[in-house]
Amino acid sequence: MAKDVFSGRYFQSKHLANLVDDDFFHWLRNAEAEEILAPTWERILSHLTEYDLSQVREDVLKGVYQQLIDPKDRHELGEYYTPDWLCERMVSELLPKRGFKAVLDPSCGSGSFLRAAVTHFLQYNPDGTDNERLKLILGNVQGIDIHPVAVTISRANYVLALGKLINTARKPIQIPVYLADSLFLPREVEANLYEQLNGVVINYGSRKDQKQVVIPDMLIHMPELFDEAIAACTEIAEEHAKSGKENRAIMAKNLAQVVPDLSKLLQYEKVLDALWQFTEGLSQLIKERKNSIWSFIIRNSYRPAMLKGQFDFIIGNPPWLSYRFISDPEYQDEIKRRAIDRYKIAPKSQKLFTQMELATVFLAHSMATFANTNARLAFVMPRAVLSADQHQNLIQRKYDSCAMFRLTGYWDMWEVTPLFNVPACVLFAKRDTVVGDPKEKLPVIEWAGRLPGRDVRWEVAKCHLEEERKEGRVIYLGSRAALSTSPGAPGLSKPSDYQSVFKQGATIVPRSFYFVRVTDLHTKVDPGAVYWAETEPEQAAQAKKPYNTVNMSGLVEGKFIYSTAVARHLVPFALLTPVTVVLPIQVKNGLLSVLTAEKLMKEGYREFGKWMQEAERIWNEKRGDKAAKQNLYERLDYQKELTRQDFRQRYLVLYNHSGMNVAATFFDRGAESIPFIVDVKLYWAAFATRQEAEYVAAILNCETVNQAIKPFQSAGLLGERDIHKKLLELPIPTFDHENKDHTDIAKLGAQAHEEAAKMVRSGEFPAGSSIARQRGFVRLNLKSRMKEIDKLVALLLKGK
């Protein structure tokens, strides 16, 4: 039984020609492997006989695939598997109720969308014989995937969806799921495949023993005949290798039986010539034991080239993979060429481009390559495509018309749990040479609900989900754009002048080197004294590998002791007690410069010099070859984030660089007993007067600003997260001490600052709680004051 299963003979007896193929797993039939693995196969087969797979209605093999494939491999392929209910709902939204149409999933994974499409067509098209419906399904529902295990499981799911229809087949059928890269042909195939007169040249065999055949164009564009013909010729080649008695005439008679429709081709005689040339070449490779799996490769890897412009509907869940995670440099280069030069769907900025999702290139390429004139598409996508800076060309319809698609709507799935590990949406598009106008409104469904399980059927899911139909449009925040149903500016606007003033704090890493506790420090630091310092345990525990095991200790001169704050020390209108850091910097006339261990020793600061020598040693050991590209001090003063902090600037405004909500505060650096350095987790700006700083802090804390940036924040499962300079895209006016509205906001901000300072010192403040709870506590207790501020700021931003 096992031999028959692995050779495919068992499935061929059930009219399934390629459920098991001569693919990358053909080594299982090796005699040595058989001897070792026979007991395993027997155990597996004995378990399988306990199941009635004809009763399976959902994609049970999806779970098998996820268990078989290492999570790291799935991440590198950008695989996020779509639950059954969403596949079914998307299929019912996209596909017609009556008639059979050509459907492609270009990244089919375990075949969930294919299974849903097959089920949909069979449910709504009961007319005709079962054999007729079987042929219509096989001719219309096709899938491609780059992972061989995915293809095998997808074919199995396809078979389960067909059910008893398979019994009506009059000969073994080819399951139309192919192992190929929908974006690109493999390099060796790309190099070998080119048009020549009215045919396509196909090369097979190794470079040393390469064979070549010109396949007439008509056969290339009829993949169902191509598959059957190549499979039949492969069998003849195997026999010819043994006996040498096969010839063109015998092959023609065999093909007439196996692929009768082949004789109807106008180029039939040329097709026979080409197929016999292929058969002879493959026979020679078999005799020389060099065949490997060329028949399988030809029937699969060339598939994307054969399917151009053939599909009415394209549906699926393309790879969710940022460009920076693509490991193959040549593949990266090709993606970049298509994303930037051809489709223009990606930004030219290198920093933004590295964050671009491969899914957007997949969308453009699928419509440009596989869609026919009236095709429609539905893709599950990361929700970031609605708002992220790297997707502005998609949002604002600035991509090239050669992408051949126009957005027609989307579903927002953010409020649905459980779903994916990152927020998701579904984009809908149609084939079009006009990319569309960002001013046009799109139909949107916002889904919400908690499901009893991730992979439930639609019949179950619909009882737990609510849908709200809205209109989406492009809204703007300064120069940024987002697709949203929220209110927002209808056009571009000039950002606040404060945008250029605010800067990100210093990247004080590895934290184990610098974040310390100084046990004998109780009051103001004495620069001339020496203190005992140790790596702060909490920071050491949170440090990233390989520095999470580093714990330093030693004497440190007081001159190098500073304080800093990270995001968890910041609440609206107040800064909690800063933490202590030791840093190799000196301050002259308010300006900062970095000192190396060698310089520290020469200047006479031997204690901290020894500390930094140890830090250098650990850095060089942990970084290896990378240490030569960036030394410890270059990392500490990355992009001058540390040394640009001018100590002559007393009045600061700080706000968090990420989080669900903005928290900002005025901060008087001059009132601190320990010199204060701003950490990278905060943005900062210095102001000449306290009044202006209080004005800016009050505006940044108000709800109007907080809500304005929501559609533009990237989001995780716990909510919005990135803030950065988005809030400074708002038209916040520069402070004018003669403007009463400005001074009133500053006065309210000063009052809120005083009230918050008292609040965090009170016994009611939840000191040991999460930062989210602490910020919520402050906002609740400052509610009336913040409402006053918000009322003035809302009018201010409207220019009233």
Side-chain angles (χ1 to χ4, degrees):
M1 172 67 78
K3 283 182 178 180
D4 285 348
V5 166
F6 293 131
S7 67
R9 287 191 298 272
Y10 173 83
F11 298 106
Q12 289 168 9
S13 72
K14 305 298 182 183
H15 289 167
L16 298 169
N18 67 334
L19 183 59
V20 171
D21 215 338
D22 265 332
D23 57 15
F24 295 102
F25 306 111
H26 76 295
W27 59 269
L28 286 171
R29 302 207 301 273
N30 181 280
E32 293 180 12
E34 177 187 325
E35 184 177 346
I36 296 169
L37 297 174
T40 302
W41 307 143
E42 291 178 8
R43 286 199 303 273
I44 291 173
L45 289 171
S46 67
H47 285 303
L48 286 176
T49 57
E50 299 173 10
Y51 295 90
D52 181 0
L53 296 180
S54 66
Q55 301 303 310
V56 174
R57 296 184 60 212
E58 63 276 344
D59 184 359
V60 294
L61 297 180
K62 182 190 314 182
V64 175
Y65 184 31
Q66 293 184 63
Q67 291 294 322
L68 284 174
I69 306 304
D70 187 274
K72 179 176 180 292
D73 292 337
R74 296 212 307 271
H75 176 266
E76 289 176 352
L77 292 170
E79 293 178 337
Y80 286 80
Y81 294 103
T82 316
D84 294 339
W85 69 266
L86 183 55
C87 294
E88 293 168 18
R89 183 63 181 83
M90 286 173 62
V91 161
S92 69
E93 181 77 14
L94 192 67
L95 303 188
K97 288 284 193 293
R98 298 292 295 175
F100 292 84
K101 296 290 183 178
V103 179
L104 174 70
D105 183 347
S107 54
C108 63
S110 63
S112 298
F113 280 103
L114 300 179
R115 179 196 59 78
V118 170
T119 303
H120 175 89
F121 281 137
L122 293 179
Q123 178 182 350
Y124 291 105
N125 296 276
D127 299 335
T129 67
D130 284 352
N131 182 255
E132 289 170 341
R133 294 201 300 156
L134 174 64
K135 287 182 177 179
L136 285 167
I137 290 291
L138 295 173
N140 283 293
V141 182
Q142 302 190 44
I144 300 172
D145 202 273
I146 199 170
H147 201 295
V149 177
V151 169
T152 298
I153 290 181
S154 184
R155 287 175 179 172
N157 267 321
Y158 199 113
V159 169
L160 291 174
L162 289 174
K164 294 181 179 179
L165 283 186
I166 294 170
N167 297 334
T168 66
R170 293 165 187 167
K171 59 181 179 179
I173 60 174
Q174 298 278 339
I175 303 300
V177 180
Y178 305 101
L179 179 68
D181 186 342
S182 294
L183 279 181
F184 311 112
L185 297 174
R187 292 188 196 92
E188 63 274 12
V189 175
E190 190 89 60
N192 294 341
L193 178 63
Y194 59 91
E195 294 184 6
Q196 186 183 70
L197 299 176
N198 294 320
V200 172
V201 175
I202 291 180
N203 291 346
Y204 57 102
S206 66
R207 291 180 182 177
K208 184 178 179 181
D209 302 289
Q210 195 170 79
K211 309 292 182 183
Q212 187 178 84
V213 60
V214 179
I215 301 291
D217 190 64
M218 186 163 290
L219 182 58
I220 286 291
H221 290 94
M222 300 189 73
E224 67 283 357
L225 297 184
F226 180 88
D227 278 354
E228 293 179 343
I230 292 295
C233 288
T234 301
E235 289 189 17
I236 295 170
E238 290 172 352
E239 288 299 320
H240 193 49
K242 295 175 185 176
S243 66
K245 295 180 179 179
E246 308 293 335
N247 55 44
R248 183 184 182 280
I250 294 174
M251 179 197 73
K253 290 180 180 179
N254 182 266
L255 289 174
Q257 295 296 320
V258 179
V259 198
D261 290 341
L262 202 64
S263 61
K264 299 176 184 178
L265 298 180
L266 293 176
Q267 299 173 306
Y268 180 59
E269 290 301 323
K270 287 185 178 180
V271 167
L272 288 181
D273 289 340
L275 291 176
W276 177 244
Q277 185 182 346
F278 166 75
T279 302
E280 279 194 308
L282 188 61
S283 172
Q284 185 64 33
L285 292 175
I286 293 170
K287 282 195 289 187
E288 297 171 4
R289 301 179 64 84
K290 297 174 182 177
N291 169 45
S292 186
I293 54 172
W294 283 106
S295 171
F296 172 80
I297 290 174
I298 288 170
R299 285 183 286 114
N300 285 268
S301 296
Y302 286 83
R303 188 60 45 174
M306 299 178 182
L307 298 179
K308 290 183 178 180
Q310 293 195 16
F311 294 93
D312 303 295
F313 298 98
I314 299 171
I315 190 168
N317 185 345
W320 295 15
L321 186 68
S322 294
Y323 174 81
R324 66 184 183 275
F325 292 122
I326 300 173
S327 57
D328 186 332
E330 291 185 43
Y331 201 88
Q332 273 192 332
D333 291 343
E334 189 58 41
I335 289 289
K336 192 171 185 177
R337 276 193 290 273
R338 297 203 182 191
I340 294 179
D341 300 333
R342 183 176 179 184
Y343 300 125
K344 295 181 174 59
I345 202 162
K348 291 184 178 180
S349 162
Q350 181 63 24
K351 182 178 179 181
L352 288 176
F353 180 70
T354 60
Q355 302 172 50
M356 183 210 68
E357 291 285 349
L358 184 60
T360 56
V361 184
F362 227 92
L363 190 158
H365 183 74
S366 295
M367 287 299 273
T369 304
F370 302 115
N372 64 23
T373 307
N374 300 308
R376 293 172 58 201
L377 172 145
F379 267 1
V380 183
M381 305 280 278
R383 192 176 181 272
V385 300
L386 301 179
S387 61
D389 293 346
Q390 62 268 28
H391 299 301
Q392 291 295 299
N393 288 4
L394 173 66
I395 294 165
Q396 298 187 57
R397 323 299 202 276
K398 291 182 178 179
Y399 52 89
D400 196 275
S401 59
C402 76
M404 302 297 288
F405 77 90
R406 182 173 185 158
L407 293 178
T408 57
Y410 68 91
W411 293 350
D412 191 340
M413 316 300 294
W414 192 9
E415 298 294 332
V416 178
T417 57
L419 190 53
F420 299 106
N421 293 330
V422 294
C425 68
V426 178
L427 291 187
F428 294 90
K430 67 176 182 178
R431 170 95 169 189
D432 205 326
T433 55
V434 179
V435 300
D437 189 330
K439 293 180 181 178
E440 67 180 313
K441 295 180 179 180
L442 298 175
V444 177
I445 298 180
E446 292 181 348
W447 295 88
R450 179 172 289 278
L451 300 170
R454 184 181 181 278
D455 284 316
V456 297
R457 299 290 305 278
W458 171 243
E459 285 298 316
V460 175
K462 68 181 182 182
C463 302
H464 299 270
L465 294 176
E466 295 179 358
E467 58 178 277
E468 187 172 359
R469 296 181 180 270
K470 294 184 177 182
E471 282 189 333
R473 62 189 179 93
V474 177
I475 61 172
Y476 295 87
L477 182 69
S479 59
R480 288 182 164 92
L483 266 172
S484 178
T485 58
S486 300
L492 298 169
S493 62
K494 185 181 177 182
S496 170
D497 289 339
Y498 288 124
Q499 187 184 58
S500 61
V501 176
F502 274 88
K503 301 176 181 66
Q504 198 164 2
T507 310
I508 308 174
V509 294
R511 294 202 183 280
S512 302
F513 292 173
Y514 308 114
F515 281 72
V516 298
R517 60 181 178 187
V518 182
T519 53
D520 50 349
L521 179 63
H522 304 294
T523 56
K524 188 174 181 179
V525 171
D526 180 357
V530 177
Y531 299 85
W532 182 262
E534 300 172 344
T535 297
E536 207 280 319
E538 184 178 348
Q539 290 297 331
Q542 295 177 1
K544 294 182 178 180
K545 292 181 179 180
Y547 303 99
N548 56 329
T549 58
V550 174
N551 283 282
M552 298 184 63
S553 61
L555 293 172
V556 174
E557 289 86 354
K559 184 181 180 72
F560 304 103
I561 296 178
Y562 297 85
S563 64
T564 191
V566 295
R568 63 183 173 84
H569 298 116
L570 183 64
V571 297
F573 296 103
L575 192 68
L576 307 182
T577 305
V579 292
T580 306
V581 291
V582 290
L583 295 169
I585 55 176
Q586 65 176 357
V587 183
K588 287 186 179 180
N589 301 320
L591 302 177
L592 281 64
S593 60
V594 176
L595 299 176
T596 64
E598 182 181 5
K599 186 74 171 176
L600 287 165
M601 299 293 276
K602 286 181 179 179
E603 296 277 335
Y605 304 113
R606 301 192 66 80
E607 299 301 343
F608 193 49
K610 287 186 283 186
W611 179 287
M612 291 309 300
Q613 281 180 340
E614 177 64 6
E616 283 183 17
R617 185 193 66 77
I618 297 171
W619 173 265
N620 292 332
E621 178 186 295
K622 301 286 189 184
R623 295 279 293 179
D625 294 339
K626 292 181 180 179
K629 297 180 181 179
Q630 185 183 56
N631 66 39
L632 177 64
Y633 306 100
E634 291 168 337
R635 185 70 185 98
L636 180 62
D637 195 25
Y638 178 68
Q639 296 185 340
K640 304 299 180 184
E641 292 168 340
L642 178 59
T643 54
R644 71 185 174 192
Q645 297 188 36
D646 190 341
F647 272 26
R648 295 171 299 182
Q649 300 168 322
R650 176 170 179 172
Y651 302 116
L652 304 181
V653 171
L654 309 173
Y655 74 85
N656 51 319
H657 96 318
S658 61
M660 188 179 296
N661 300 301
V662 181
T665 188
F666 156 78
F667 182 74
D668 184 357
R669 177 185 261 160
E672 295 299 303
S673 60
I674 303 176
F676 183 82
I677 293 290
V678 185
D679 180 77
V680 72
K681 295 297 183 181
L682 302 177
Y683 275 85
W684 65 277
F687 297 93
T689 67
R690 176 171 183 149
Q691 192 178 31
E692 183 175 13
E694 288 169 334
Y695 160 82
V696 174
I699 291 174
L700 299 187
N701 271 315
C702 80
E703 189 61 15
T704 294
V705 169
N706 196 39
Q707 288 302 316
I709 69 170
K710 289 293 181 198
F712 301 87
Q713 288 181 267
S714 61
L717 295 181
L718 299 179
E720 301 90 345
R721 53 191 183 196
D722 292 326
I723 297 172
H724 295 293
K725 288 193 174 184
K726 291 181 175 67
L727 68 178
L728 301 169
E729 295 273 4
L730 291 165
I732 301 170
T734 303
F735 179 72
D736 180 357
H737 68 275
E738 294 184 355
N739 186 311
K740 186 177 183 301
D741 289 337
H742 292 198
T743 55
D744 284 349
I745 291 172
K747 184 178 178 181
L748 290 169
Q751 292 170 352
H753 180 71
E754 291 177 12
E755 292 168 8
K758 291 178 182 177
M759 204 178 299
V760 298
R761 292 195 299 267
S762 71
E764 296 179 2
F765 183 72
S769 299
S770 67
I771 186 61
R773 187 179 174 194
Q774 291 173 345
R775 289 173 181 170
F777 176 85
V778 172
R779 287 192 185 95
L780 180 63
N781 285 276
L782 286 178
K783 188 175 181 180
S784 59
R785 185 75 63 204
M786 293 180 77
K787 275 189 175 181
E788 292 180 77
I789 295 171
D790 196 53
K791 185 177 179 181
L792 289 175
V793 172
L795 294 173
L796 187 73
L797 295 179
K798 290 178 181 178
K800 296 181 180 180

